[in-house]
Amino acid sequence: TVSGINANVTTVAGISSNVTTVAGISSDVTAVAGDATDIGAVAAKATEIGRLGTADAVADMAILGTTDVVTDMNVLATADVVSDMNTLATADIVADMNVLGTADVVADMNTLGTADVVADMNTLGTADVVADLNTLGTADVVTDMNTLGTSANVTNMATLGASGVVANVATVAGINADVTAVAAKATEIGRLGTADAVADMNTLGTADVVADLNTLGTADVVTDMNTLGT
């Protein structure tokens, strides 16, 4: 019996150190038990954690974790920017940006973005100029400009624009008043243009008659005729 008790005492003595160890980590076990919910939530994301744990993902996070990038992400994370990015992220806009992002388009935008071109576009963008462009852009006007824009017509216009021609045009414009005055006497011209009137003028236009008319047209003779005519 005593020997049997000795064996049991020896067994208890052998596990005493283990009991002491368990007692020492009891607070840790309690803490882990308190985090059981969180541990379960993390365990449910095992797939995602697997993705993030790859060498490439870790390298990317190392890049994203720099001060500059964190600052940039803080700027981009505002409500307004997020809203703008949601707007820009539609399929149509992404397609448009892909079109606009080609080397040729970027080169064109660089050209259009110069100060001179921007100034020109500001000039062309005024209401008056836009109205004029709308007028000039009608089908009829475009057709007319295509007609006038042929090499033959351009040559003709260059000829008409020469200083000599311009001077002649100015002269013609100056006699417009005279032509208008003559046109106002159309009735009288009609009377004088009859065959009888022309015949009479031919008779009166002879040298002798003209000499007589000159004689009769002197001041003294006119005075005498006025006296006799009373």
Side-chain angles (χ1 to χ4, degrees):
T1 301
V2 172
S3 62
I5 292 173
N6 286 339
N8 291 334
V9 170
T10 301
T11 300
V12 170
I15 64 173
S16 61
S17 60
N18 294 332
V19 172
T20 301
T21 301
V22 170
I25 65 172
S26 61
S27 60
D28 296 334
V29 172
T30 301
V32 170
D35 291 332
T37 301
D38 295 335
I39 293 169
V42 171
K45 299 296 183 181
T47 301
E48 290 81 352
I49 295 170
R51 293 174 185 150
L52 293 172
T54 62
D56 287 342
V58 170
D60 291 340
M61 286 190 288
I63 294 171
L64 293 172
T66 61
T67 303
D68 288 342
V69 174
V70 170
T71 300
D72 293 340
M73 286 193 289
N74 285 333
V75 174
L76 294 172
T78 61
D80 287 343
V81 174
V82 171
S83 176
D84 292 341
M85 287 192 288
N86 285 333
T87 302
L88 293 172
T90 61
D92 287 343
I93 293 179
V94 170
D96 292 340
M97 287 192 289
N98 284 333
V99 173
L100 293 172
T102 61
D104 287 343
V105 174
V106 170
D108 292 341
M109 288 191 289
N110 285 333
T111 301
L112 293 172
T114 60
D116 287 343
V117 174
V118 170
D120 292 341
M121 288 192 288
N122 285 332
T123 301
L124 293 172
T126 60
D128 287 344
V129 174
V130 170
D132 292 341
L133 292 174
N134 285 332
T135 301
L136 292 172
T138 60
D140 288 343
V141 174
V142 170
T143 300
D144 292 341
M145 287 192 289
N146 285 333
T147 301
L148 293 171
T150 62
S151 59
N153 285 333
V154 170
T155 300
N156 292 336
M157 286 190 287
T159 301
L160 292 172
S163 58
V165 175
V166 171
N168 291 336
V169 171
T171 301
V172 171
I175 65 174
N176 278 340
D178 297 334
V179 173
T180 302
V182 171
K185 299 296 181 180
T187 301
E188 291 81 351
I189 294 171
R191 292 174 187 153
L192 293 171
T194 63
D196 288 343
V198 171
D200 292 340
M201 286 190 287
N202 286 331
T203 301
L204 293 171
T206 61
D208 289 341
V209 174
V210 170
D212 293 339
L213 290 173
N214 286 333
T215 301
L216 294 171
T218 61
D220 290 340
V221 175
V222 169
T223 302
D224 292 340
M225 283 192 291
N226 285 333
T227 301
L228 292 172
T230 58

